[in-house]
Amino acid sequence: MVTPEAQDTASSPLLVQDTVESPLLTRAGVGPTSLNAGITWACLGSAAIVCLAPLQYGYHIAELNTPKKIITECAPSIGSKLPQCLPMSDTMFSLATSLFAVGGLVGSLCAGWLAERFGRRGGLVYNNIVFVLGPLLMALAVSPAMLAIGRFVSGVGSGAAIVVAPLYLSEIAPVRLRGTLNLLNQLSIVVGILLTLTVGMVANRGSLWRVSVGGGLVLACAHLALSALAVESPRFLWARGRRAEARTVLRHLRGVADVDAEVATWGVSGDAEQVADDMVADPESLNGTAKPVSSTELRADGTTVTVFNIFRLAQYRRQWLLVLLLQFGQQLSGINTVFYYSSTVLERMFSSQLSSVLTMLIGVLNVVATASAALFIDRFGRRPLLFTSMAAMVVAVTLLGVGLGLGLNVLAAVALYLVVAAFAPGFGPVPFLLGTELFDVRAASAGGAWALGANWVGTFIVAMAFLPIQSLIGEWVFAIFVGSLLVCGGVFYVYVPETKGRTIDEIAATFK
């Protein structure tokens, strides 16, 4: 009998060169199988290119932070086609800021369709259309309304990006290093935030704010130019019945020839009918690494999962509720108040120039703290990192509220940094990672869309409500964030499973 390996090799001349082992950044074990492989340069390269999408999200989320004053306040400009500034009230500015979250919600809910229709990589390529349009509208804005529309459009692209990119990273990552590779998603976001804070600090005068808000255009063009160098997700190809191509890509990503053991773990959660036919036709294709499943059993579980029915399917309902709370709770921790309004808070205590530098340093700390999670996330697991982070945030957010409430400027400034240092290694990346790990491949796109939809709803609520509530109850507003952290922490402790070192299908099976 001709094995699938032989069939694949015959059908694709590229397989010969893909079977040569490439240098690994990390290795596990001594066997030459893909399950023992680490993160290869090919895998890291594709991941880095795809992460230009969440980097754009990070850039856009904080782009109005530093230049707020020069955008909204200036002397009347004469003889210029583009006004030097766009005078607006705090309410209008909050609306422009918050419309980014509304766009993100729309993009998140469309991301599942985009990822299934065009693929993970392909969907992100098409997503750059809105990433080009949004910055153009903002950079050429002649009114607050045009700026707000540009924010909304950029939000649509950002919403899709942070659904599809973590999904792609989880699907190309080796099982034992899935958390480490997926951390690139959050790291890209915080690098984007740092980049926009740095640009905002340099361009914090006159009409240069247009350079700051238009900078996302450069990132979108770079992603478009480099996207052809990234591979499509092998799990997506496998689920679409493109088996030879999936094996080729997996060999390329792992740097080894033997990928049968890893492919065997995909069978049940791929395209059910096609997998069943493959197993029935050639049960030896699994090389004895997994028990063949009957065609009848697989087809009985072959329901198409969409954003419209995932919450009605019993096998996914618990995961659906968990990822909603993980993402919504992340925003109710108050973290985005630091990135949206840190300049406003710091300008109460320091000069505009010094507050710009201090805000940029918050971005530096965010990057360093996020990168540090790579040392722990696949060593100690998701749960310890999540709960340690949330506990530290309770302390830091409390100190921030006390410092602002009592006028202790130094304490308040230090607490801003402590909030970021507590959030970045745990409560920042873990919800995104768990959102890709708790669902099998059939439900991953729909589950991710709902999860990030909840994130955007939380972002919008906090962005719109923070300043008005603060004006009513003062710094007691931070007590709301502390209460949210305590409640969510209790729920997560009871219901969130540990996923370290387990395959996606093993994790999904615990909920059935």
Side-chain angles (χ1 to χ4, degrees), residues 356-372:
S356 294
V357 174
L358 293 174
T359 299
M360 186 271 292
L361 291 177
I362 288 175
V364 173
L365 175 62
N366 199 13
V367 172
V368 173
T370 300
S372 71

Side-chain angles (χ1 to χ4, degrees), residues 268 271-281 292-303 442:
V268 176
D271 178 80
E273 186 168 335
Q274 181 63 42
V275 175
D277 291 341
D278 283 359
M279 290 180 177
V280 172
V293 183
S294 74
S295 176
T296 302
E297 290 174 324
L298 283 167
R299 284 172 179 155
D301 192 41
T303 304
R442 290 194 302 120

Side-chain angles (χ1 to χ4, degrees), residues 138-406:
M138 288 186 287
L140 301 176
V142 295
S143 67
M146 189 171 174
L147 180 73
I149 293 171
R151 286 283 291 171
F152 172 82
V153 173
S154 294
V156 172
S158 297
I162 57 173
V163 171
V164 182
L167 178 59
Y168 177 89
L169 294 175
S170 285
E171 291 181 351
I172 70 168
V175 171
R176 78 176 189 93
L177 294 171
R178 189 172 56 240
T180 300
L181 191 68
N182 207 285
L183 190 66
L184 286 178
N185 175 70
Q186 186 68 16
L187 186 61
S188 298
I189 293 172
V190 299
V191 168
I193 292 172
L194 174 60
L195 180 60
T196 193
L197 292 176
T198 304
V199 172
M201 182 184 68
V202 174
N204 194 23
R205 62 184 184 277
S207 59
L208 288 180
W209 63 268
R210 295 183 182 276
V211 175
S212 181
V213 298
L217 179 63
V218 177
L219 300 176
C221 291
H223 191 192
L224 281 170
L226 295 173
S227 59
L229 301 178
V231 298
E232 182 55 87
S233 159
R235 291 204 65 168
F236 171 79
L237 296 172
W238 183 267
R240 289 297 176 273
R242 296 157 63 179
R243 304 304 167 82
E245 188 178 355
R247 287 173 179 269
T248 302
V249 171
L250 189 59
R251 292 189 187 98
H252 176 66
L253 291 172
R254 299 290 181 264
V256 297
D258 185 359
V259 297
D260 283 348
E262 184 170 356
V263 166
T265 68
W266 299 351
V268 176
S269 62
D271 178 80
E273 186 168 335
Q274 181 63 42
V275 175
D277 291 341
D278 283 359
M279 290 180 177
V280 172
D282 188 9
E284 293 180 9
S285 66
L286 296 181
N287 290 336
T289 58
K291 179 182 177 181
V293 183
S294 74
S295 176
T296 302
E297 290 174 324
L298 283 167
R299 284 172 179 155
D301 192 41
T303 304
T304 300
V305 182
T306 70
V307 294
F308 302 108
N309 69 2
I310 186 171
F311 49 85
R312 297 200 302 267
L313 300 174
Q315 67 266 42
Y316 299 123
R317 193 172 296 124
R318 284 175 58 198
Q319 300 97 301
W320 176 74
L321 289 171
L322 270 179
V323 297
L324 289 184
L325 187 57
L326 279 164
Q327 293 288 353
F328 192 72
Q330 183 196 70
Q331 294 309 305
L332 290 188
S333 71
I335 184 60
N336 273 342
T337 62
V338 174
F339 297 118
Y340 282 146
Y341 303 112
S342 57
S343 287
T344 302
V345 171
L346 290 170
E347 282 175 2
R348 298 176 184 174
M349 300 175 275
F350 308 104
S351 68
S352 177
Q353 192 63 33
L354 180 56
S355 67
S356 294
V357 174
L358 293 174
T359 299
M360 186 271 292
L361 291 177
I362 288 175
V364 173
L365 175 62
N366 199 13
V367 172
V368 173
T370 300
S372 71
L375 302 175
F376 310 112
I377 198 163
D378 280 317
R379 178 176 298 179
F380 299 111
R382 287 47 159 162
R383 282 173 58 92
L385 205 59
L386 177 64
F387 297 132
T388 301
S389 174
M390 294 181 74
M393 283 196 75
V394 168
V395 176
V397 173
T398 300
L399 290 176
L400 179 59
V402 170
L404 291 173
L406 299 180

